[in-house]
Amino acid sequence: MARSVLITGGNRGIGLAVAQAFARQGDRVAVTHRGSGAPAGLLGVKCDVTDPPQVDAAFAEAEAAHGPVEVLVSNAGVTDDALLLRMPEERFTRVLDTNLTGAYRVCRRAVSGMLRRRWGRIVLVSSVAALSGTTGQANYAASKAGMVGLARSLARELGGRGITVNVVAPGLVMTDMARTVSAARRAEMLAGVPLGRHAEPDDVAGPVRWLASDEARYITGAVLPVDGGLGMGH
Ligand code: NDP
C-alpha cells in the first residue's frame, strides 16, 4: 500500500537514494531541501531543520499533497570537524542543533499525525561514529549517539501506539560528506572494513526502506549497522 513518506535532506546523497527507493515501490515521497529543489518524481519541500517554523511548514506542504506523514526518515546532517581544543562552542552546538535537535523537531512534528492513525515508522540516520567515536568529530559523534537515545526513548513511548522507531548507523558512504574526509583518513577507515569497500548511498537505502516495511513490524529501538562490518563489537 502506498504511503506518505518524508525524508529530511532527501535532495542529495544518502537521503536521495532513500527517497528514490521508497518512490520506486510506489510511495508518495516528499524530500526536504534548503534551496536546491528536488529531482523529478519527488516532492521538494523547503526546510532547514534548525528552524521550527520551516519544519512545520514543510510538513504542512507535504501533508497537503500526500496526506499525513506515515514514514519519517530523519537524515539531514552535517559535520564540522576539529580537535576538541580547536572546537569553539558554536561549532559544537551548531552540529548538535542540526543533527540531534533537528531530528527531535521532525519526530515531534511527525508523531502527532502518527498517533492519530495509530501507525507510523520512524528511521533516524545516525553513524558508526555514534558508538565508536572519531578523532576530530566530538560534536558529530555526540549528536549521532544522542540520536540513539532519542530513538530508543521514542520507541518506548510510542510502541503501544503502533509506531516503530529505529536507527541505521552507516559507515563510510560515498557522498559529498564523505568526500570532505581526507584520502588518508578514508584509506584508514577502509582498512577496518571487512567487506573491503566503502558503501554507495543505495547500500543504505535498502535497509532504511526495509525498516519501514511491514516485514520489520516487530523491530523497534534497534540500531542497525550498515557499515560493511566496520563497527563490529560496538
Ligand atoms: P550530504 O552532505 O551528501 O547531504 C547532507 C544532507 O543534509 C543534504 O540534503 C543537506 O541539505 C541536508 N542538511 C544539512 N543541514 C541541514 C539543515 N540544517 N536542514 C535541513 N537539511 C540539512 O551527506 P550524506 O548524504 O552523506 O549524509 C546523510 C546522513 O547520513 C547524515 O545525517 C550523515 O551524518 C549520515 N551519515 C553519512 C555517512 C557518510 O559516510 N556519508 C556515514 C554515516 C552517516 P542541503 O542540500 O540543503 O545542504
Side-chain angles (χ1 to χ4, degrees):
M1 202 174 57
R3 300 160 310 173
S4 169
V5 179
L6 186 140
I7 297 149
T8 64
N11 56 320
R12 61 189 172 101
I14 293 171
L16 176 58
V18 170
Q20 288 169 335
F22 281 109
R24 272 197 301 275
Q25 68 181 14
D27 289 321
R28 304 182 297 281
V29 183
V31 296
T32 73
H33 64 90
R34 291 184 296 172
S36 67
L42 304 170
L43 173 68
V45 292
K46 200 157 178 247
C47 174
D48 186 321
V49 297
T50 64
D51 183 349
Q54 284 192 41
V55 170
D56 191 49
F59 270 81
E61 196 181 336
E63 290 178 346
H66 292 163
V69 171
E70 296 162 288
V71 177
L72 168 67
V73 181
S74 178
N75 162 82
V78 290
T79 53
D80 186 7
D81 299 356
L83 295 172
L84 184 66
L85 293 182
R86 295 192 187 137
M87 186 186 288
E89 185 166 327
E90 186 276 326
R91 289 175 67 179
F92 187 85
T93 54
R94 194 181 66 83
V95 170
L96 267 287
D97 192 30
T98 302
N99 297 3
L100 179 57
T101 316
Y104 148 81
R105 291 185 188 104
V106 295
C107 287
R108 189 159 187 266
R109 179 58 179 79
V111 155
S112 47
M114 292 177 180
L115 284 172
R116 241 172 274 126
R117 299 166 79 86
R118 300 186 73 84
W119 196 90
R121 294 279 183 271
I122 297 176
V123 181
L124 306 187
V125 181
S126 174
S127 165
V128 68
L131 304 173
S132 63
T134 316
T135 300
Q137 289 198 314
N139 49 3
Y140 180 76
S143 73
K144 293 298 182 178
M147 291 173 86
V148 175
L150 172 67
R152 288 186 161 158
S153 301
L154 297 185
R156 291 185 190 281
E157 280 185 35
L158 303 170
R161 308 291 195 89
I163 301 168
T164 68
V165 188
N166 290 293
V167 172
V168 292
L172 184 63
V173 189
M174 208 33 72
T175 64
D176 295 340
M177 181 180 281
R179 282 185 273 272
T180 67
V181 177
S182 72
R185 174 70 192 127
R186 287 208 303 256
E188 206 179 288
M189 283 178 82
L190 272 183
V193 178
L195 290 183
R197 65 171 178 88
H198 61 70
E200 297 299 335
D202 253 349
D203 294 321
V204 183
V208 172
R209 187 190 51 186
W210 179 74
L211 281 170
S213 75
D214 187 54
E215 287 180 348
R217 61 190 170 270
Y218 200 60
I219 299 176
T220 195
V223 178
L224 180 63
V226 187
D227 61 3
L230 174 63
M232 264 192 294
H234 294 292

